[in-house]
Amino acid sequence: MQIGLVGLGRMGMNMGRRWLKGSHEVVAFNRTIEKAQELSREGAIAAGSLKTLVDHLKTPRLVWLMLPTGAVVDQHVKELAELLSPGDVVVDGGNTYYKDDIRHAEFLKTKGVRFMDAGVSGGIWGLKNGYCTMVGGDQELFQHLEPLLKTLAPQDGYLHCGGVGAGHFIKMVHNGIEYGLMQAYAEGFEIIEASPYKTDLQKVSHLWNQGSVVRSWLLELAEEAFAQDSGLAKISGYVEDSGEGRWTVQQAIETGVAAPIITQSVYQRFMSREKDPFGFRVLAALRNQFGGHAVVKAGEDKRQAIAGAVQAAVAAPGVQPAGFR
């Protein structure tokens, strides 16, 4: 099949490569022409503009977007609406909010252009392993896209999830679950790291993937990370979020579904970006005010300060350490 691919980031570039290897014809456009030219050296046609991309495609045209969510997608949808013809198809394969899909589909429909959404998971490993793809939109149009989806995904790795927005909705929940799984692994490894047992975390990760109930691809990636840097000393604890975790929590609130693990995992990411959060300083001050609990002064070594406070409390007659009150 022929496909116009817009957006050649880490995901888009490798998706284009996978389609080329599957003998599809790829016309590629990127904001910086160098990336399109790079893919052209592997068999794609490089387009210097959206109009050039559209002009290269045979009708009915198929344009697949791999762009950052929000204003960038909005702008490209508006531009394509003026360039495409009735019967052409736009597929949004980025991480767009599913309610935006519905809005985009309604807008394009006024121009006679059809729309589908595709939630794509696979990250930087997708070129080798394939991309798990969750698709929303018309069933007939889904069947038209199947040759592309079969090339993109591993075996049984794509699904028509329902009407417009369903693909990105299922991908949104997928990412919410991912947040929770990652948080559980992070907490577990931190407990081991803080224990008196100096167990090799790479070996633990490898062990748990040998038949354990917590085995997973994420755990394989943890093993790889520990192999590269056993104490993760080269990595900052700052953790960004793509937005889909937040949307999952918003959806849970809208529908009255309890999702405490996913919600907390999103909050943990917010906390990771703060240095000495003000709220935690309020907590420490309150504990000191009502119970005389130890306070660590700014700049002090926290563990030494707390240990000293506990020792002093134990030494005082008739006084228990604060942690036992």
Side-chain angles (χ1 to χ4, degrees):
M1 288 184 69
Q2 187 188 51
I3 183 169
L5 176 59
V6 178
L8 300 174
R10 285 176 297 177
M11 292 275 283
M13 179 68 84
N14 282 341
M15 288 167 63
R17 288 178 172 131
R18 196 166 170 93
W19 279 320
L20 288 171
K21 289 180 178 180
S23 300
H24 298 286
E25 182 183 339
V26 177
V27 182
F29 168 72
N30 193 71
R31 181 177 56 84
T32 53
I33 187 64
E34 290 79 11
K35 287 194 172 183
Q37 291 170 339
E38 180 184 342
L39 196 60
S40 73
R41 291 191 285 272
E42 301 178 38
I45 298 171
S49 67
L50 277 181
K51 184 178 186 309
T52 304
L53 177 135
V54 169
D55 289 344
H56 269 101
L57 297 174
K58 305 180 185 74
T59 56
R61 303 175 183 90
L62 174 59
V63 179
W64 188 298
L65 305 179
M66 288 302 297
L67 299 168
T69 185
V72 176
V73 175
D74 288 346
Q75 182 60 37
H76 280 74
V77 167
K78 288 178 182 178
E79 289 184 34
L80 285 168
E82 300 304 317
L83 295 171
L84 296 174
S85 304
D88 291 346
V89 180
V90 173
V91 180
D92 184 354
N95 284 332
T96 295
Y97 187 34
Y98 79 97
K99 292 183 179 179
D100 288 342
D101 290 326
I102 297 169
R103 176 169 55 82
H104 292 153
E106 290 176 350
F107 170 70
L108 290 171
K109 188 176 181 180
T110 65
K111 306 289 186 176
V113 177
R114 297 179 291 174
F115 178 87
M116 296 199 79
D117 56 282
V120 183
S121 179
I124 59 175
W125 296 89
L127 176 60
K128 177 184 177 181
N129 299 331
Y131 295 89
C132 178
T133 310
M134 297 143 265
V135 185
D138 181 74
Q139 174 70 38
E140 182 182 349
L141 194 52
F142 167 77
Q143 292 171 348
H144 175 68
L145 289 178
E146 271 203 274
L148 288 166
L149 298 173
K150 284 182 178 178
T151 300
L152 191 64
Q155 184 174 357
D156 298 327
Y158 67 92
L159 179 70
H160 180 243
C161 300
V164 168
H168 279 148
F169 182 88
I170 298 302
K171 176 60 164 42
M172 175 188 75
V173 177
H174 162 284
N175 278 30
I177 293 170
E178 178 187 300
Y179 276 44
L181 289 171
M182 291 172 70
Q183 183 63 33
Y185 283 131
E187 292 176 11
F189 282 117
E190 184 166 9
I191 292 169
I192 296 172
E193 181 69 9
S195 77
Y197 302 106
K198 302 308 176 186
T199 311
D200 186 319
L201 298 183
Q202 178 192 358
K203 291 181 179 178
V204 171
S205 304
H206 182 76
L207 172 68
W208 285 351
N209 263 322
Q210 312 313 308
S212 161
V213 295
V214 298
R215 65 188 182 275
S216 74
W217 184 48
L218 283 173
L219 199 53
E220 291 176 13
L221 297 178
E223 179 184 348
E224 181 66 25
F226 289 131
Q228 295 171 2
D229 181 4
S230 61
L232 305 182
K234 300 175 184 177
I235 300 175
S236 166
Y238 185 103
V239 185
E240 193 54 85
D241 68 290
S242 63
E244 291 182 297
R246 301 187 194 198
W247 300 337
T248 306
V249 173
Q250 290 171 3
Q251 185 67 28
I253 292 169
E254 286 182 20
T255 52
V257 175
I261 303 302
I262 295 174
T263 301
Q264 184 59 31
S265 71
V266 175
Y267 290 163
Q268 288 293 116
R269 294 197 178 196
F270 296 164
M271 289 167 59
S272 78
R273 301 166 206 167
E274 296 186 50
K275 184 177 180 181
D276 192 18
F278 180 75
F280 286 178
R281 299 206 301 273
V282 173
L283 286 175
L286 289 174
R287 292 182 77 245
N288 178 257
Q289 289 294 323
F290 72 69
H293 299 274
V295 173
V296 180
K297 296 178 182 178
E300 277 189 295
D301 182 282
K302 295 179 177 59
R303 292 189 180 181
Q304 288 183 2
I306 292 171
V310 170
Q311 288 173 1
V314 171
V319 178
Q320 287 183 312
F324 293 93
R325 291 182 184 177

